[in-house]
Amino acid sequence: MTATNVLTAMIEKLEMRCALSEDDRRAILALPHTLASYGPKAYIVREGDLAGGICAFALSGLAFRQKLTTDGARQIVALHLPGDFLDLQHLFLRVADHSVQAVGHLEVVQLEHGALQRLIRERPMVGQALWIDSLVEASIFREWVTNVGRRNARARIAHLLCEFAVRMRVSGLTDEAGRCDLPMTQEELGDAVGLTSVHVNRTLRGLEAEGLIQRDKRRISFDDWQAISQIADFNPRYLHLDQVSRGGG
Amino acid sequence: MTATNVLTAMIEKLEMRCALSEDDRRAILALPHTLASYGPKAYIVREGDLAGGICAFALSGLAFRQKLTTDGARQIVALHLPGDFLDLQHLFLRVADHSVQAVGHLEVVQLEHGALQRLIRERPMVGQALWIDSLVEASIFREWVTNVGRRNARARIAHLLCEFAVRMRVSGLTDEAGRCDLPMTQEELGDAVGLTSVHVNRTLRGLEAEGLIQRDKRRISFDDWQAISQIADFNPRYLHLDQVSRGGG
DNA sequence: CGGAAGGTTGATTGAAGTCAAAGCCAGTGG
DNA sequence: CCACTGGCTTTGACTTCAATCAACCTTCCG
């Protein structure tokens, strides 16, 4: 992967959020940047940190956002795939209200806040695309509140799987048969949906026994998308995958 | 309330998010706008709606964001006080992924998307303030995921009360003794924290019996802030009340 | 080959949900 | 002025879903 197509990944992502001009694209490609990688469980951001002056954009691997409660419980509040910004919020928020952690091996491009801020100032449509990206993220948070607050274990887990599968598909990370890797432990899945690992295990096995999903190691496939998305009460509207057309700049 | 100081409320809000220049303020005050009001339970936005071309900024009253699951359960995903934008996201997102509903009587200023977009283009710092506002909202969503996913009934309710009290205080809506009106039914409180109204009732009475809060109708006061915020595991960091200084424009 | 991390299973407990009735209170209309 | 109504709150009895605790099993990797 050359330095150039690294930023191309970012352009592709932003063009999902709103249309960019040739000048916009050129300005992005001109951005100074560095590659970095993190090992499993490495922190990209820690709750309480002061903004560090750089933003990370994921190129490969998986990461999640998490918060801890005082009594030590963890809540995973978001999953991030390649093509996601991991800490855009710190462009503007001074102190980190949550941590961002790599799941397995994670590769990112790092961009300086200063350079990004200049880009946003000079190319307003790029700023708008970034803003829209953060609005979509907020929409996903709302869905997660609903998932954790109002669905039972079966639906919650099914919902997480559906969201993951759709986002992986959109990013071109599923195989022809719709299988994808979900390299999270059952404990982590539990922390993402507000359940214990034991109950996640039983529920996953239940879904598998019913012939709704198949698992092989941590690779997962969906035998009956219709059925599982119904159980999950999954409606992809909240992912706002239809954004491109809009944007009133 | 004259037309001028209506927009002053909006300036005050934005100046909590980042510093504005005299020109920025002037541009905001020049914004064409109309006043509107909604009765109890009126919808400002309905899930599935196409963006309607106007944004509402709350002047008085209370509103919440909610999502419904297929089996009819409701999750309230956010509360909004005077001084909050109610549907800023539709400036950029085409279809509403959730509804916004008035609690009691609600007064708003309405601003045309076109005018707002022009403002954002011409006064980038105002755009930044609005963006930051949506980032802070996203941070609150993350906290809510955690609240609903990892805290027990007592802590969840206490947390909601603490957040509400702090935000009311910041907006100058509490009395000298820190009392404030929380005009929601116990059913609505339950829908905000993922519990049933019956359990909310028992838990509230529990908190009251322990001398942590006092209730009178739907007015609430905190007898021992230290204790209740500890029970709630409440840390106001996620509200990002310290924003003003920052902003790299 | 051994150890650690993660997955699976069973038995038991417990927090919150459900169902149902009764109490309270503000507003309305006779 | 009081009875009536409807919406909310409160309470009790019972149920259920998920948590907890504790093994045991499997897989992977050094």
Side-chain angles (χ1 to χ4, degrees):
Chain A
M1 192 175 270
T2 71
T4 302
N5 65 27
V6 155
L7 290 173
T8 303
M10 200 173 119
I11 291 177
E12 272 168 33
K13 174 54 164 264
L14 292 176
E15 290 197 310
M16 286 183 59
R17 301 312 187 197
C18 72
L20 299 181
S21 69
E22 190 49 44
D23 283 348
D24 292 332
R25 280 190 289 271
R26 237 194 311 273
I28 293 170
L29 289 174
L31 230 35
H33 60 278
T34 52
L35 295 180
S37 71
Y38 295 89
K41 314 224 168 151
Y43 283 90
I44 293 85
V45 180
R46 264 174 207 276
E47 191 166 343
D49 278 358
L50 291 181
I54 48 171
C55 271
F57 174 84
L59 294 172
S60 71
L62 215 64
F64 51 71
R65 299 181 188 277
Q66 66 174 52
K67 302 194 76 149
L68 297 174
T69 64
T70 307
D71 56 354
R74 168 175 68 171
Q75 178 69 44
I76 292 175
V77 299
L79 297 184
H80 287 294
L81 319 186
D84 288 345
F85 289 92
L86 301 182
D87 53 358
L88 204 48
Q89 70 276 4
H90 292 124
L91 207 47
F92 300 119
L93 299 180
R94 245 191 44 239
V95 11
D97 55 78
H98 67 283
S99 303
V100 181
Q101 197 175 10
V103 176
H105 186 77
L106 176 77
E107 313 241 18
V108 304
V109 214
Q110 294 178 323
L111 304 159
E112 301 252 343
H113 281 183
L116 267 175
Q117 269 149 354
R118 210 169 315 117
L119 176 70
I120 291 166
R121 200 159 358 99
E122 287 163 13
R123 310 287 344 153
M125 284 313 278
V126 177
Q128 182 172 313
L130 289 166
W131 186 350
I132 294 175
D133 197 64
S134 62
L135 290 175
V136 172
E137 219 190 315
S139 171
I140 297 176
F141 291 137
R142 288 190 286 270
E143 185 70 30
W144 280 45
V145 173
T146 308
N147 199 36
V148 163
R150 282 295 180 230
R151 297 197 185 101
N152 63 24
R154 212 168 108 93
R156 264 187 235 187
I157 291 177
H159 195 281
L160 184 76
L161 297 180
C162 286
E163 174 181 318
F164 188 76
V166 167
R167 289 173 59 194
M168 287 291 271
R169 178 141 36 86
V170 168
S171 303
L173 296 167
T174 51
D175 66 16
E176 344 65 52
R179 269 185 300 268
C180 56
D181 287 316
L182 177 51
M184 292 168 70
T185 65
Q186 295 181 356
E187 176 129 35
E188 287 165 339
L189 288 174
D191 286 343
V193 292
L195 296 169
T196 59
S197 62
V198 172
H199 204 61
V200 167
N201 181 278
R202 292 196 237 264
T203 309
L204 275 178
R205 315 215 90 228
L207 292 172
E208 196 173 22
E210 289 175 73
L212 295 162
I213 59 172
Q214 277 181 47
R215 297 179 306 148
D216 175 32
K217 299 290 143 57
R218 289 182 190 162
R219 173 156 271 257
I220 191 169
S221 60
F222 299 84
D223 292 334
D224 186 346
W225 180 260
Q226 186 72 31
I228 189 112
S229 62
Q230 190 171 334
I231 285 166
D233 185 29
F234 181 76
N235 177 340
R237 175 151 65 203
Y238 73 98
L239 295 172
H240 294 281
L241 299 171
D242 63 340
Q243 263 316 116
V244 187
S245 45
R246 195 173 165 82
Chain B
M1 191 176 270
T2 71
T4 302
N5 63 28
V6 156
L7 291 173
T8 304
M10 201 173 118
I11 291 177
E12 272 168 32
K13 174 55 164 265
L14 293 176
E15 290 196 310
M16 286 183 59
R17 300 312 188 198
C18 71
L20 299 181
S21 69
E22 190 51 43
D23 284 347
D24 292 331
R25 281 190 289 270
R26 237 193 312 273
I28 293 171
L29 289 174
L31 231 34
H33 60 278
T34 52
L35 294 181
S37 70
Y38 295 88
K41 313 221 168 153
Y43 283 89
I44 293 85
V45 180
R46 267 176 205 274
E47 190 166 345
D49 278 357
L50 290 181
I54 49 171
C55 272
F57 175 85
L59 294 171
S60 70
L62 217 63
F64 51 71
R65 300 180 188 277
Q66 65 174 52
K67 301 194 78 150
L68 297 174
T69 64
T70 307
D71 56 353
R74 169 174 68 171
Q75 178 70 44
I76 292 175
V77 299
L79 297 184
H80 287 293
L81 318 186
D84 288 345
F85 289 91
L86 300 182
D87 52 0
L88 204 49
Q89 70 277 3
H90 293 126
L91 207 46
F92 300 119
L93 299 181
R94 246 192 42 239
V95 11
D97 55 78
H98 67 283
S99 304
V100 181
Q101 198 176 9
V103 176
H105 186 79
L106 176 77
E107 312 242 18
V108 306
V109 214
Q110 295 178 324
L111 305 159
E112 301 252 342
H113 281 183
L116 267 176
Q117 270 150 353
R118 209 169 317 116
L119 177 69
I120 291 167
R121 199 160 358 99
E122 286 162 14
R123 310 287 342 153
M125 283 313 276
V126 177
Q128 181 172 314
L130 289 166
W131 186 351
I132 294 174
D133 197 63
S134 62
L135 291 175
V136 171
E137 220 191 314
S139 170
I140 296 176
F141 291 137
R142 288 190 286 269
E143 185 69 29
W144 280 45
V145 174
T146 307
N147 199 36
V148 163
R150 283 294 181 230
R151 296 196 185 102
N152 63 25
R154 213 167 107 93
R156 265 188 234 187
I157 292 177
H159 195 279
L160 184 77
L161 297 180
C162 286
E163 175 181 317
F164 188 77
V166 167
R167 289 174 57 194
M168 287 291 272
R169 178 142 35 86
V170 168
S171 304
L173 296 167
T174 50
D175 67 14
E176 346 65 51
R179 270 185 301 267
C180 55
D181 286 317
L182 177 51
M184 293 167 69
T185 65
Q186 294 180 359
E187 175 130 34
E188 288 165 339
L189 288 174
D191 286 342
V193 293
L195 296 169
T196 59
S197 62
V198 172
H199 204 62
V200 167
N201 181 277
R202 292 196 238 264
T203 309
L204 276 178
R205 315 216 89 228
L207 291 172
E208 195 173 22
E210 290 175 71
L212 295 161
I213 60 172
Q214 276 181 49
R215 296 179 308 147
D216 176 33
K217 300 287 144 58
R218 290 181 189 162
R219 173 156 272 257
I220 192 169
S221 60
F222 299 85
D223 293 334
D224 186 345
W225 181 261
Q226 185 73 31
I228 189 111
S229 61
Q230 189 170 335
I231 284 166
D233 185 28
F234 181 76
N235 178 340
R237 176 152 62 204
Y238 74 98
L239 295 172
H240 294 281
L241 299 171
D242 61 340
Q243 264 315 116
V244 186
S245 45
R246 197 172 165 83

